[in-house]
Amino acid sequence: GVVIYESIRPQLRILWRVPGTKLYRSIDQEMEGQFVPNVLIVQLSSSLYFANVGYVKDVLLRCIGEVSKAEKVEHLILELASVLTVDATAAHLIQDIVGDCRGQGIETAFAMVGIRAMKTFTKAGLVKFVGRDMFFPTVDEAVQWCRAEQGGELRSQSTVAAEPKPNLPFETLEVGISNDLHPHCTQVCVSIPHS
């Protein structure tokens, strides 16, 4: 029951920069961090498929709405390191999310997308719709792009206390590492294709 619940209701976490580093972690895991002005960074915690992507869309759009009450969101970065697989339905719904964001004046970028997920995004037309240049190997590179688009360099922001969260042969070998389930444990997911 717990595994099914976790896959149908994956966690979405807001990320902020660990001070003095280029690392981005959940506001639930780091007591101090730095938000990037006008950039919302959200980490998705599990593979995306027809049964959970509707939930992801609802929570993500609600999160954007809540954050927008405090500060205009100009860029959304989706960190997908823990997303090992994506089905076609999910890829199309992510395209809908990108379209909804564009309608609100929000540009969407993707960070740390794995090989298998990227293949599905490409086949489903998401990469063409979004633009290949909107996929970045790290969150920090996506942030740097967003800041450049905003006309400024990444500057030092004030450090604030965490607030509660608002109401992803060898070419296809994929490894996901996360400590989202528990701060003292590390989860390692290895995906090895059948030959």
Side-chain angles (χ1 to χ4, degrees):
V2 173
V3 172
I4 292 172
Y5 181 81
E6 286 291 325
S7 73
I8 292 177
R9 291 189 166 299
Q11 295 181 359
L12 281 73
R13 297 177 185 256
I14 296 175
L15 304 184
W16 60 0
R17 188 163 60 103
V18 176
T21 73
K22 293 181 178 185
L23 302 175
Y24 292 79
R25 302 228 350 175
S26 168
I27 62 173
D28 297 330
Q29 294 173 329
E30 290 294 323
M31 295 305 294
E32 294 183 351
Q34 299 167 324
F35 288 108
V36 180
N38 307 106
V39 178
L40 175 61
I41 307 166
V42 179
Q43 177 186 59
L44 304 180
S45 68
S46 74
S47 293
L48 300 172
Y49 61 104
F50 71 94
N52 70 5
V53 74
Y55 170 81
V56 169
K57 179 180 180 181
D58 292 344
V59 172
L60 189 55
L61 294 178
R62 192 170 50 233
C63 182
I64 291 168
E66 289 295 317
V67 171
S68 294
K69 291 177 184 175
E71 174 180 77
K72 181 181 181 201
V73 176
E74 296 175 359
H75 293 92
L76 169 66
I77 298 172
L78 297 177
E79 192 263 57
L80 304 179
S82 296
V83 178
L84 298 180
T85 59
V86 178
D87 73 7
T89 301
H92 290 294
L93 207 50
I94 291 171
Q95 185 168 324
D96 289 346
I97 293 168
V98 172
D100 289 348
C101 287
R102 283 182 181 167
Q104 298 177 45
I106 301 168
E107 196 66 42
T108 306
F110 296 82
M112 303 175 69
V113 178
I115 294 167
R116 290 172 62 193
M118 193 65 166
K119 283 182 181 179
T120 303
F121 288 163
T122 301
K123 285 180 185 176
L126 178 67
V127 173
K128 184 176 181 180
F129 179 76
V130 174
R132 188 167 293 280
D133 59 333
M134 298 303 289
F135 290 82
F136 298 89
T138 67
V139 172
D140 189 62
E141 289 179 59
V143 167
Q144 295 301 331
W145 180 88
C146 294
R147 296 297 295 143
E149 284 294 303
Q150 294 171 346
E153 297 298 317
L154 183 61
R155 62 183 186 270
S156 177
Q157 300 96 25
S158 59
T159 300
V160 295
E163 299 174 12
K165 263 199 282 191
N167 283 5
L168 216 343
F170 288 100
E171 292 179 1
T172 58
L173 176 67
E174 192 166 316
V175 178
I177 300 173
S178 172
N179 66 343
D180 289 339
L181 296 177
H182 191 279
H184 301 294
C185 299
T186 300
Q187 170 190 6
V188 178
C189 299
V190 179
S191 175
I192 302 171
H194 298 291
S195 42

